[in-house]
Amino acid sequence: MSSGSRYSIAVLPGDGIGHEVMPPALEVVEAVAAQHGFAVGWRELPWSCAYHHEHGRMMPEDGTDQLREHDAILLGAVGDPSLPDHVSLWGLLIPIRRAFDLYANVRPALLLPGVESPLRDTSRGIDILVVRENSEGEYSEVGGRFRPGTPEEIAVQEAVFSKRGTKRIIEYAARAAEKRSGRLTSATKSNGIIHSMTFWDEVFHEVMAEHPGVEGRLMHVDALAARFVSHPHDLDVVVGSNLFGDILTDIGAVIVGSMGMAPSANINPDADVPGMFEPVHGSAPDIAGRGIANPIGQIWSASMMLDHLGETAAAATIMEAVRGVLGEGGPRTADLGGSATTADVTAAVLDRIRDSAPQNGARS
């Protein structure tokens, strides 16, 4: 878009290292905004585990109404040892995802130049796009506990798969595959989970029939997890349910260098609602406050946000800067084998962005 566009972004640093990696992302976005002729207005919201300790909830009752006023949501990290994880997750992230029906969780696993993978042979590269169903599946509230606290206690958790929800996420993944190599792998476990996963497989075949240019294949999720490690170069677009996609993307993050690198987008491509963009790494309380967190996952998530908003050139500028820093031996944090601080990496990325600015003041 550009040409004087202005975007309103809700900023949720959250907990732990979220407060350390968010400022770098905002600086980077402001730098490319100045280059590419658009403006960004930030509204920081303190919703977090600390907020929960003070108010008894992760966000205000009208929290999603407040977020609806913005063009996008940039999230840092959520979670703190002082609060059970299910309280923080179900009090903030999941309500936001469901309020705006952000059914597509898009997570790239891309090995960037200069980054060393823990895998032995990456000569053929790693470039996997995982499309995770984000609104239903295994992460449902359907179920309960019977006779709690007794030896006879029973816990029942129901997975929910709708035809609409399953079809639209596979459709999204198929369209993504059409723009890439035309190969789509679906994570399943229909040999053991006989109702929901056979249903998933049937819908997958229906969608593939509507996309004859896409080579679709089903793979049991355990075998697919192994494939991420043994033959990642064979994979392109992968689609999975809420749980399967969540697990596979953590593997994807590690094989391309570090959890600190991994970005994600939570979007609803069918509705005019704010998308939510967040790194995969979590709040990392073990290193919080030390200034050594890798800011690239948050910066990359901000790039995905700009791309979603239509600022594709600005998004590309960010990623070119990140590639340049890593590919030419620039500073890197401990998770990538270096000793640089968060500030060191941020400064190097910002220098690259400034160096890429047109010398004559022209705007792209």
Side-chain angles (χ1 to χ4, degrees):
M1 291 183 181
S2 297
S3 302
S5 296
R6 181 177 178 83
Y7 303 99
S8 174
I9 310 298
V11 177
L12 281 70
D15 301 295
I17 63 169
H19 292 275
E20 299 169 52
V21 297
M22 184 64 78
L26 304 190
E27 284 187 76
V28 165
V29 170
E30 288 173 355
V32 296
Q35 277 189 24
H36 292 271
F38 62 92
V40 179
W42 310 109
R43 180 189 177 194
E44 184 168 329
L45 298 166
W47 307 340
S48 60
C49 291
Y51 184 92
H52 187 283
H53 288 311
E54 185 175 350
H55 300 278
R57 55 189 307 126
M58 291 295 295
M59 64 177 174
E61 290 186 25
D62 67 342
T64 54
D65 290 335
Q66 292 187 43
L67 294 174
R68 196 179 298 274
E69 302 170 2
H70 301 280
D71 297 302
I73 305 159
L74 191 59
L75 176 72
V78 178
D80 187 85
S82 65
L83 198 67
D85 286 341
H86 70 276
V87 174
S88 56
L89 180 66
W90 283 88
L92 189 64
L93 288 185
I94 290 181
I96 293 171
R97 289 170 177 168
R98 293 190 173 169
F100 304 123
D101 199 17
L102 304 177
Y103 68 84
N105 187 204
V106 183
R107 298 184 176 187
L110 174 64
L111 183 61
L112 295 178
V115 176
E116 184 176 348
S117 167
L119 301 184
R120 181 178 58 197
D121 179 13
T122 56
S123 58
R124 285 175 282 183
I126 302 173
D127 185 359
I128 305 170
L129 183 70
V130 180
V131 178
R132 168 194 175 198
E133 203 291 315
N134 208 33
S135 63
E136 49 182 48
E138 300 88 351
Y139 294 3
S140 81
E141 295 176 277
V142 180
R145 295 171 71 163
F146 179 61
R147 293 184 176 174
T150 72
E152 293 79 27
E153 184 170 3
I154 298 171
V156 177
Q157 180 77 45
E158 299 288 350
V160 177
F161 288 82
S162 69
K163 183 69 173 281
R164 173 176 175 267
T166 304
K167 185 170 184 177
R168 68 182 180 178
I169 195 64
I170 297 173
E171 283 274 7
Y172 181 92
R175 292 194 298 270
E178 287 171 337
K179 296 175 183 177
R180 289 166 58 102
S181 71
R183 293 180 289 119
L184 174 61
T185 304
S186 174
T188 184
K189 194 58 181 170
S190 49
N191 60 339
I193 306 175
I194 63 171
H195 297 305
S196 61
M197 284 292 103
T198 53
F199 173 76
W200 174 281
D201 293 353
E202 290 165 8
V203 176
F204 182 77
H205 288 306
E206 287 181 22
V207 174
M208 288 300 94
E210 298 169 2
H211 294 267
V214 175
E215 176 192 341
R217 62 173 170 170
L218 295 165
M219 188 173 290
H220 291 148
V221 67
D222 46 345
L224 182 54
R227 200 77 176 169
F228 265 67
V229 176
S230 64
H231 295 77
H233 48 269
D234 286 349
L235 300 169
D236 185 34
V237 180
V238 174
V239 64
S241 67
N242 216 327
L243 177 62
F244 291 174
D246 199 2
I247 295 169
L248 291 172
T249 50
D250 275 13
I251 300 173
V254 170
I255 64 173
V256 296
S258 165
M259 288 290 289
M261 296 278 293
S264 75
N266 304 263
I267 60 173
N268 182 336
D270 308 325
D272 184 17
V273 294
M276 181 167 62
F277 303 83
E278 55 175 321
V280 176
H281 55 57
S283 59
D286 56 323
I287 63 168
R290 296 169 58 189
I292 60 172
N294 190 341
I296 292 177
Q298 188 78 65
I299 291 170
W300 196 339
S301 297
S303 173
M304 293 182 75
M305 177 186 74
L306 292 181
D307 188 63
H308 182 70
L309 292 172
E311 298 295 344
T312 54
T317 296
I318 292 175
M319 292 312 300
E320 286 165 10
V322 170
R323 284 188 177 91
V325 169
L326 295 173
E328 296 181 17
R332 58 195 65 205
T333 46
D335 57 312
L336 295 179
S339 58
T341 65
T342 309
D344 293 335
V345 176
T346 304
V349 173
L350 286 168
D351 285 345
R352 284 271 174 177
I353 290 171
R354 294 181 185 118
D355 289 345
S356 70
Q359 298 302 307
N360 60 3
R363 296 289 174 86
S364 60

Short mmCIF file of all heavy atoms in Angstrom, two decimals, residues 268-334:
data_model
loop_
_atom_site.label_atom_id
_atom_site.label_comp_id
_atom_site.label_asym_id
_atom_site.label_seq_id
_atom_site.Cartn_x
_atom_site.Cartn_y
_atom_site.Cartn_z
N ASN A 268 -7.01 -14.39 9.54
CA ASN A 268 -8.26 -14.82 8.92
C ASN A 268 -8.31 -14.13 7.56
O ASN A 268 -8.67 -12.96 7.47
CB ASN A 268 -9.47 -14.42 9.76
CG ASN A 268 -10.78 -14.89 9.16
OD1 ASN A 268 -10.88 -15.13 7.95
ND2 ASN A 268 -11.81 -15.03 9.98
N PRO A 269 -7.93 -14.85 6.49
CA PRO A 269 -7.88 -14.21 5.18
C PRO A 269 -9.26 -13.91 4.60
O PRO A 269 -9.35 -13.26 3.55
CB PRO A 269 -7.14 -15.24 4.32
CG PRO A 269 -7.38 -16.54 5.00
CD PRO A 269 -7.47 -16.24 6.46
N ASP A 270 -10.32 -14.35 5.27
CA ASP A 270 -11.68 -14.18 4.75
C ASP A 270 -12.43 -13.03 5.39
O ASP A 270 -13.59 -12.79 5.04
CB ASP A 270 -12.48 -15.47 4.96
CG ASP A 270 -11.77 -16.70 4.43
OD1 ASP A 270 -11.10 -16.59 3.39
OD2 ASP A 270 -11.88 -17.77 5.06
N ALA A 271 -11.82 -12.34 6.35
CA ALA A 271 -12.56 -11.32 7.09
C ALA A 271 -11.67 -10.11 7.36
O ALA A 271 -10.44 -10.23 7.42
CB ALA A 271 -13.08 -11.89 8.41
N ASP A 272 -12.30 -8.97 7.54
CA ASP A 272 -11.60 -7.72 7.83
C ASP A 272 -11.43 -7.61 9.35
O ASP A 272 -12.14 -6.87 10.03
CB ASP A 272 -12.37 -6.53 7.27
CG ASP A 272 -11.63 -5.22 7.48
OD1 ASP A 272 -10.41 -5.26 7.73
OD2 ASP A 272 -12.28 -4.15 7.38
N VAL A 273 -10.48 -8.37 9.87
CA VAL A 273 -10.18 -8.38 11.30
C VAL A 273 -8.68 -8.27 11.47
O VAL A 273 -7.92 -8.60 10.56
CB VAL A 273 -10.70 -9.67 11.99
CG1 VAL A 273 -12.22 -9.73 11.97
CG2 VAL A 273 -10.11 -10.91 11.33
N PRO A 274 -8.22 -7.80 12.63
CA PRO A 274 -6.77 -7.71 12.83
C PRO A 274 -6.14 -9.08 12.96
O PRO A 274 -6.63 -9.94 13.70
CB PRO A 274 -6.65 -6.91 14.13
CG PRO A 274 -7.94 -7.14 14.86
CD PRO A 274 -8.99 -7.26 13.78
N GLY A 275 -5.05 -9.30 12.23
CA GLY A 275 -4.25 -10.50 12.43
C GLY A 275 -3.33 -10.30 13.63
O GLY A 275 -3.07 -9.18 14.06
N MET A 276 -2.86 -11.41 14.17
CA MET A 276 -1.94 -11.36 15.31
C MET A 276 -0.63 -12.03 14.90
O MET A 276 -0.63 -13.14 14.37
CB MET A 276 -2.55 -12.06 16.52
CG MET A 276 -1.67 -12.04 17.75
SD MET A 276 -2.55 -12.53 19.27
CE MET A 276 -3.03 -14.22 18.86
N PHE A 277 0.49 -11.36 15.19
CA PHE A 277 1.79 -11.81 14.73
C PHE A 277 2.71 -11.94 15.94
O PHE A 277 2.83 -11.02 16.74
CB PHE A 277 2.34 -10.82 13.70
CG PHE A 277 1.40 -10.66 12.53
CD1 PHE A 277 0.32 -9.79 12.60
CD2 PHE A 277 1.56 -11.43 11.39
CE1 PHE A 277 -0.59 -9.68 11.54
CE2 PHE A 277 0.67 -11.33 10.33
CZ PHE A 277 -0.41 -10.46 10.41
N GLU A 278 3.35 -13.10 16.06
CA GLU A 278 4.11 -13.39 17.27
C GLU A 278 5.25 -14.36 16.98
O GLU A 278 5.12 -15.24 16.12
CB GLU A 278 3.19 -14.03 18.32
CG GLU A 278 2.48 -15.26 17.79
CD GLU A 278 1.66 -16.00 18.84
OE1 GLU A 278 2.12 -16.09 19.99
OE2 GLU A 278 0.58 -16.50 18.49
N PRO A 279 6.36 -14.24 17.69
CA PRO A 279 7.40 -15.25 17.59
C PRO A 279 6.95 -16.52 18.31
O PRO A 279 6.09 -16.47 19.18
CB PRO A 279 8.60 -14.61 18.29
CG PRO A 279 7.99 -13.63 19.24
CD PRO A 279 6.73 -13.14 18.59
N VAL A 280 7.56 -17.63 17.95
CA VAL A 280 7.15 -18.92 18.52
C VAL A 280 7.85 -19.19 19.84
O VAL A 280 7.42 -20.05 20.61
CB VAL A 280 7.46 -20.04 17.48
CG1 VAL A 280 7.14 -21.41 18.03
CG2 VAL A 280 6.67 -19.80 16.19
N HIS A 281 8.89 -18.44 20.19
CA HIS A 281 9.79 -18.84 21.26
C HIS A 281 9.25 -18.81 22.67
O HIS A 281 9.82 -19.41 23.58
CB HIS A 281 11.07 -18.00 21.19
CG HIS A 281 10.86 -16.52 21.22
ND1 HIS A 281 10.19 -15.86 22.22
CD2 HIS A 281 11.27 -15.55 20.35
CE1 HIS A 281 10.20 -14.56 21.98
NE2 HIS A 281 10.83 -14.34 20.84
N GLY A 282 8.19 -18.12 22.96
CA GLY A 282 7.71 -18.06 24.33
C GLY A 282 8.46 -17.04 25.16
O GLY A 282 9.35 -16.34 24.67
N SER A 283 8.13 -16.99 26.45
CA SER A 283 8.64 -15.91 27.30
C SER A 283 10.03 -16.17 27.86
O SER A 283 10.66 -15.27 28.41
CB SER A 283 7.67 -15.67 28.46
OG SER A 283 7.52 -16.85 29.23
N ALA A 284 10.54 -17.40 27.75
CA ALA A 284 11.92 -17.76 28.14
C ALA A 284 12.34 -17.15 29.46
O ALA A 284 13.30 -16.37 29.52
CB ALA A 284 12.89 -17.36 27.03
N PRO A 285 11.66 -17.49 30.56
CA PRO A 285 12.01 -16.87 31.86
C PRO A 285 13.44 -17.15 32.31
O PRO A 285 13.99 -16.39 33.11
CB PRO A 285 11.00 -17.49 32.83
CG PRO A 285 10.49 -18.72 32.16
CD PRO A 285 10.54 -18.43 30.69
N ASP A 286 14.06 -18.21 31.77
CA ASP A 286 15.43 -18.53 32.18
C ASP A 286 16.45 -17.50 31.72
O ASP A 286 17.53 -17.36 32.33
CB ASP A 286 15.83 -19.92 31.67
CG ASP A 286 15.69 -20.06 30.17
OD1 ASP A 286 14.74 -19.49 29.59
OD2 ASP A 286 16.52 -20.74 29.55
N ILE A 287 16.14 -16.76 30.65
CA ILE A 287 17.10 -15.73 30.19
C ILE A 287 16.52 -14.32 30.25
O ILE A 287 17.19 -13.37 29.87
CB ILE A 287 17.58 -16.02 28.75
CG1 ILE A 287 16.40 -15.98 27.75
CG2 ILE A 287 18.30 -17.36 28.68
CD1 ILE A 287 16.86 -15.96 26.30
N ALA A 288 15.29 -14.19 30.73
CA ALA A 288 14.66 -12.87 30.78
C ALA A 288 15.46 -11.92 31.66
O ALA A 288 15.98 -12.30 32.71
CB ALA A 288 13.23 -13.00 31.32
N GLY A 289 15.59 -10.69 31.19
CA GLY A 289 16.30 -9.67 31.95
C GLY A 289 17.79 -9.62 31.73
O GLY A 289 18.47 -8.74 32.26
N ARG A 290 18.31 -10.53 30.92
CA ARG A 290 19.76 -10.58 30.71
C ARG A 290 20.20 -9.90 29.42
O ARG A 290 21.40 -9.76 29.16
CB ARG A 290 20.23 -12.05 30.71
CG ARG A 290 20.01 -12.73 32.05
CD ARG A 290 20.21 -14.24 31.96
NE ARG A 290 21.54 -14.59 31.48
CZ ARG A 290 21.91 -15.82 31.16
NH1 ARG A 290 21.03 -16.82 31.26
NH2 ARG A 290 23.14 -16.07 30.73
N GLY A 291 19.25 -9.49 28.59
CA GLY A 291 19.60 -8.77 27.37
C GLY A 291 20.25 -9.62 26.31
O GLY A 291 20.96 -9.10 25.45
N ILE A 292 19.99 -10.94 26.33
CA ILE A 292 20.63 -11.83 25.36
C ILE A 292 19.63 -12.54 24.47
O ILE A 292 20.01 -13.42 23.69
CB ILE A 292 21.52 -12.87 26.07
CG1 ILE A 292 20.69 -13.74 27.03
CG2 ILE A 292 22.66 -12.18 26.83
CD1 ILE A 292 21.46 -14.92 27.61
N ALA A 293 18.37 -12.19 24.57
CA ALA A 293 17.34 -12.84 23.76
C ALA A 293 17.53 -12.50 22.28
O ALA A 293 17.90 -11.38 21.92
CB ALA A 293 15.95 -12.43 24.22
N ASN A 294 17.26 -13.47 21.43
CA ASN A 294 17.35 -13.27 19.99
C ASN A 294 16.13 -12.46 19.52
O ASN A 294 15.00 -12.93 19.65
CB ASN A 294 17.38 -14.62 19.28
CG ASN A 294 17.72 -14.50 17.80
OD1 ASN A 294 17.59 -13.45 17.20
ND2 ASN A 294 18.14 -15.61 17.21
N PRO A 295 16.33 -11.26 18.94
CA PRO A 295 15.19 -10.45 18.52
C PRO A 295 14.66 -10.82 17.14
O PRO A 295 13.66 -10.26 16.69
CB PRO A 295 15.77 -9.04 18.51
CG PRO A 295 17.20 -9.25 18.09
CD PRO A 295 17.62 -10.56 18.74
N ILE A 296 15.32 -11.76 16.43
CA ILE A 296 14.97 -11.99 15.03
C ILE A 296 13.58 -12.59 14.87
O ILE A 296 12.84 -12.24 13.95
CB ILE A 296 16.05 -12.85 14.34
CG1 ILE A 296 17.34 -12.04 14.22
CG2 ILE A 296 15.59 -13.31 12.96
CD1 ILE A 296 18.51 -12.78 13.62
N GLY A 297 13.17 -13.49 15.78
CA GLY A 297 11.82 -14.04 15.69
C GLY A 297 10.75 -12.96 15.75
O GLY A 297 9.77 -12.99 15.01
N GLN A 298 10.95 -11.98 16.64
CA GLN A 298 9.99 -10.88 16.76
C GLN A 298 10.07 -9.95 15.55
O GLN A 298 9.04 -9.51 15.03
CB GLN A 298 10.28 -10.09 18.04
CG GLN A 298 9.23 -9.04 18.36
CD GLN A 298 7.97 -9.62 18.96
OE1 GLN A 298 7.99 -10.16 20.05
NE2 GLN A 298 6.85 -9.52 18.25
N ILE A 299 11.28 -9.68 15.09
CA ILE A 299 11.45 -8.82 13.91
C ILE A 299 10.84 -9.49 12.68
O ILE A 299 10.15 -8.84 11.88
CB ILE A 299 12.95 -8.52 13.70
CG1 ILE A 299 13.47 -7.60 14.82
CG2 ILE A 299 13.19 -7.90 12.34
CD1 ILE A 299 14.98 -7.44 14.85
N TRP A 300 11.07 -10.78 12.53
CA TRP A 300 10.50 -11.53 11.40
C TRP A 300 8.98 -11.53 11.47
O TRP A 300 8.30 -11.38 10.46
CB TRP A 300 11.07 -12.94 11.41
CG TRP A 300 10.91 -13.74 10.17
CD1 TRP A 300 10.01 -13.56 9.15
CD2 TRP A 300 11.68 -14.90 9.79
NE1 TRP A 300 10.16 -14.52 8.18
CE2 TRP A 300 11.18 -15.36 8.55
CE3 TRP A 300 12.73 -15.59 10.40
CZ2 TRP A 300 11.71 -16.48 7.91
CZ3 TRP A 300 13.26 -16.69 9.77
CH2 TRP A 300 12.75 -17.14 8.52
N SER A 301 8.43 -11.68 12.67
CA SER A 301 6.98 -11.63 12.84
C SER A 301 6.43 -10.27 12.42
O SER A 301 5.36 -10.17 11.79
CB SER A 301 6.60 -11.92 14.29
OG SER A 301 6.99 -13.22 14.67
N ALA A 302 7.18 -9.21 12.74
CA ALA A 302 6.77 -7.86 12.31
C ALA A 302 6.82 -7.74 10.80
O ALA A 302 5.97 -7.08 10.19
CB ALA A 302 7.67 -6.82 12.97
N SER A 303 7.80 -8.39 10.17
CA SER A 303 7.86 -8.40 8.71
C SER A 303 6.64 -9.11 8.12
O SER A 303 6.05 -8.63 7.14
CB SER A 303 9.15 -9.09 8.25
OG SER A 303 9.16 -9.25 6.85
N MET A 304 6.25 -10.23 8.72
CA MET A 304 5.05 -10.93 8.26
C MET A 304 3.81 -10.05 8.43
O MET A 304 2.90 -10.06 7.60
CB MET A 304 4.88 -12.24 9.02
CG MET A 304 5.95 -13.29 8.73
SD MET A 304 5.68 -14.85 9.60
CE MET A 304 4.31 -15.56 8.63
N MET A 305 3.78 -9.28 9.49
CA MET A 305 2.67 -8.35 9.72
C MET A 305 2.58 -7.32 8.61
O MET A 305 1.50 -7.06 8.05
CB MET A 305 2.83 -7.66 11.08
CG MET A 305 1.77 -6.62 11.39
SD MET A 305 2.11 -5.69 12.92
CE MET A 305 3.47 -4.62 12.39
N LEU A 306 3.71 -6.72 8.25
CA LEU A 306 3.71 -5.72 7.19
C LEU A 306 3.31 -6.33 5.85
O LEU A 306 2.57 -5.72 5.08
CB LEU A 306 5.09 -5.07 7.08
CG LEU A 306 5.51 -4.20 8.26
CD1 LEU A 306 6.88 -3.59 8.01
CD2 LEU A 306 4.49 -3.10 8.54
N ASP A 307 3.79 -7.53 5.58
CA ASP A 307 3.40 -8.21 4.35
C ASP A 307 1.90 -8.43 4.30
O ASP A 307 1.25 -8.22 3.27
CB ASP A 307 4.15 -9.54 4.23
CG ASP A 307 3.94 -10.21 2.90
OD1 ASP A 307 4.33 -9.63 1.87
OD2 ASP A 307 3.37 -11.32 2.86
N HIS A 308 1.32 -8.83 5.43
CA HIS A 308 -0.13 -9.06 5.51
C HIS A 308 -0.90 -7.75 5.30
O HIS A 308 -1.99 -7.76 4.70
CB HIS A 308 -0.48 -9.67 6.87
CG HIS A 308 -1.93 -9.98 7.05
ND1 HIS A 308 -2.57 -11.00 6.37
CD2 HIS A 308 -2.88 -9.40 7.83
CE1 HIS A 308 -3.84 -11.05 6.73
NE2 HIS A 308 -4.06 -10.09 7.60
N LEU A 309 -0.34 -6.65 5.76
CA LEU A 309 -1.00 -5.35 5.61
C LEU A 309 -0.83 -4.76 4.21
O LEU A 309 -1.40 -3.72 3.90
CB LEU A 309 -0.44 -4.36 6.65
CG LEU A 309 -0.80 -4.64 8.11
CD1 LEU A 309 -0.02 -3.71 9.03
CD2 LEU A 309 -2.30 -4.50 8.34
N GLY A 310 -0.06 -5.43 3.37
CA GLY A 310 0.14 -4.96 2.01
C GLY A 310 1.42 -4.21 1.79
O GLY A 310 1.71 -3.77 0.66
N GLU A 311 2.23 -4.07 2.83
CA GLU A 311 3.51 -3.37 2.72
C GLU A 311 4.60 -4.39 2.37
O GLU A 311 5.55 -4.62 3.13
CB GLU A 311 3.83 -2.62 4.01
CG GLU A 311 2.82 -1.54 4.36
CD GLU A 311 2.78 -0.39 3.37
OE1 GLU A 311 3.73 -0.27 2.56
OE2 GLU A 311 1.81 0.39 3.40
N THR A 312 4.47 -4.98 1.20
CA THR A 312 5.35 -6.09 0.83
C THR A 312 6.80 -5.64 0.63
O THR A 312 7.73 -6.37 0.97
CB THR A 312 4.84 -6.77 -0.45
OG1 THR A 312 4.70 -5.78 -1.48
CG2 THR A 312 3.49 -7.42 -0.21
N ALA A 313 6.99 -4.46 0.10
CA ALA A 313 8.36 -3.97 -0.12
C ALA A 313 9.06 -3.72 1.21
O ALA A 313 10.24 -4.05 1.38
CB ALA A 313 8.35 -2.71 -0.96
N ALA A 314 8.35 -3.16 2.17
CA ALA A 314 8.93 -2.91 3.48
C ALA A 314 9.23 -4.23 4.19
O ALA A 314 10.28 -4.37 4.83
CB ALA A 314 7.98 -2.06 4.32
N ALA A 315 8.33 -5.18 4.07
CA ALA A 315 8.56 -6.50 4.66
C ALA A 315 9.82 -7.13 4.07
O ALA A 315 10.64 -7.73 4.79
CB ALA A 315 7.35 -7.40 4.44
N ALA A 316 9.98 -7.01 2.74
CA ALA A 316 11.16 -7.56 2.07
C ALA A 316 12.44 -6.86 2.52
O ALA A 316 13.49 -7.50 2.67
CB ALA A 316 11.00 -7.46 0.56
N THR A 317 12.36 -5.56 2.75
CA THR A 317 13.53 -4.82 3.23
C THR A 317 14.01 -5.35 4.57
O THR A 317 15.21 -5.50 4.81
CB THR A 317 13.20 -3.32 3.35
OG1 THR A 317 12.89 -2.79 2.05
CG2 THR A 317 14.37 -2.54 3.93
N ILE A 318 13.06 -5.65 5.46
CA ILE A 318 13.42 -6.21 6.76
C ILE A 318 14.14 -7.54 6.58
O ILE A 318 15.20 -7.78 7.18
CB ILE A 318 12.18 -6.38 7.65
CG1 ILE A 318 11.61 -5.02 8.05
CG2 ILE A 318 12.52 -7.20 8.91
CD1 ILE A 318 10.30 -5.09 8.82
N MET A 319 13.57 -8.41 5.77
CA MET A 319 14.16 -9.74 5.63
C MET A 319 15.50 -9.70 4.90
O MET A 319 16.40 -10.48 5.19
CB MET A 319 13.18 -10.67 4.91
CG MET A 319 11.93 -10.99 5.74
SD MET A 319 12.32 -11.48 7.44
CE MET A 319 13.33 -12.94 7.18
N GLU A 320 15.66 -8.76 3.97
CA GLU A 320 16.96 -8.60 3.31
C GLU A 320 18.02 -8.16 4.33
O GLU A 320 19.17 -8.60 4.28
CB GLU A 320 16.84 -7.59 2.18
CG GLU A 320 16.10 -8.14 0.96
CD GLU A 320 15.67 -7.02 0.00
OE1 GLU A 320 16.11 -5.88 0.21
OE2 GLU A 320 14.89 -7.31 -0.91
N ALA A 321 17.61 -7.31 5.26
CA ALA A 321 18.54 -6.86 6.30
C ALA A 321 18.92 -8.01 7.22
O ALA A 321 20.10 -8.18 7.57
CB ALA A 321 17.92 -5.71 7.09
N VAL A 322 17.95 -8.80 7.62
CA VAL A 322 18.23 -9.95 8.49
C VAL A 322 19.15 -10.94 7.77
O VAL A 322 20.13 -11.43 8.35
CB VAL A 322 16.91 -10.64 8.91
CG1 VAL A 322 17.19 -11.98 9.59
CG2 VAL A 322 16.10 -9.74 9.83
N ARG A 323 18.85 -11.22 6.51
CA ARG A 323 19.72 -12.13 5.73
C ARG A 323 21.14 -11.58 5.62
O ARG A 323 22.12 -12.33 5.71
CB ARG A 323 19.14 -12.32 4.32
CG ARG A 323 17.94 -13.24 4.25
CD ARG A 323 17.57 -13.51 2.80
NE ARG A 323 16.46 -14.45 2.69
CZ ARG A 323 15.18 -14.10 2.64
NH1 ARG A 323 14.85 -12.82 2.68
NH2 ARG A 323 14.24 -15.02 2.55
N GLY A 324 21.25 -10.29 5.42
CA GLY A 324 22.57 -9.69 5.29
C GLY A 324 23.38 -9.82 6.57
O GLY A 324 24.56 -10.15 6.54
N VAL A 325 22.75 -9.55 7.71
CA VAL A 325 23.45 -9.63 8.98
C VAL A 325 23.92 -11.06 9.25
O VAL A 325 25.08 -11.30 9.62
CB VAL A 325 22.54 -9.15 10.13
CG1 VAL A 325 23.16 -9.48 11.49
CG2 VAL A 325 22.30 -7.65 10.02
N LEU A 326 23.05 -12.02 9.04
CA LEU A 326 23.40 -13.41 9.32
C LEU A 326 24.34 -13.99 8.27
O LEU A 326 25.28 -14.72 8.59
CB LEU A 326 22.13 -14.26 9.40
CG LEU A 326 21.18 -13.92 10.55
CD1 LEU A 326 19.88 -14.72 10.41
CD2 LEU A 326 21.83 -14.20 11.90
N GLY A 327 24.06 -13.65 7.01
CA GLY A 327 24.82 -14.25 5.93
C GLY A 327 26.25 -13.76 5.82
O GLY A 327 27.11 -14.44 5.27
N GLU A 328 26.52 -12.57 6.37
CA GLU A 328 27.87 -12.01 6.28
C GLU A 328 28.58 -11.99 7.62
O GLU A 328 29.49 -11.19 7.85
CB GLU A 328 27.79 -10.61 5.66
CG GLU A 328 27.26 -10.64 4.23
CD GLU A 328 27.20 -9.28 3.59
OE1 GLU A 328 27.86 -8.35 4.11
OE2 GLU A 328 26.51 -9.13 2.57
N GLY A 329 28.15 -12.91 8.50
CA GLY A 329 28.87 -13.08 9.76
C GLY A 329 28.66 -12.00 10.77
O GLY A 329 29.53 -11.76 11.62
N GLY A 330 27.50 -11.34 10.72
CA GLY A 330 27.20 -10.29 11.69
C GLY A 330 26.95 -10.86 13.07
O GLY A 330 27.00 -12.08 13.29
N PRO A 331 26.65 -10.00 14.03
CA PRO A 331 26.46 -10.46 15.41
C PRO A 331 25.28 -11.43 15.52
O PRO A 331 24.29 -11.29 14.81
CB PRO A 331 26.18 -9.17 16.18
CG PRO A 331 25.72 -8.18 15.15
CD PRO A 331 26.44 -8.55 13.90
N ARG A 332 25.42 -12.39 16.40
CA ARG A 332 24.34 -13.34 16.65
C ARG A 332 24.34 -13.70 18.13
O ARG A 332 25.38 -13.73 18.78
CB ARG A 332 24.48 -14.57 15.76
CG ARG A 332 25.78 -15.34 15.88
CD ARG A 332 25.93 -16.30 14.72
NE ARG A 332 26.06 -15.57 13.47
CZ ARG A 332 25.74 -16.05 12.27
NH1 ARG A 332 25.28 -17.28 12.15
NH2 ARG A 332 25.91 -15.33 11.17
N THR A 333 23.16 -13.98 18.62
CA THR A 333 22.98 -14.30 20.03
C THR A 333 23.40 -15.74 20.32
O THR A 333 23.69 -16.52 19.43
CB THR A 333 21.52 -14.05 20.43
OG1 THR A 333 20.65 -14.63 19.43
CG2 THR A 333 21.21 -12.57 20.55
N ALA A 334 23.39 -16.08 21.61
CA ALA A 334 23.91 -17.37 22.06
C ALA A 334 23.18 -18.56 21.45
O ALA A 334 23.78 -19.61 21.20
CB ALA A 334 23.86 -17.44 23.58
#
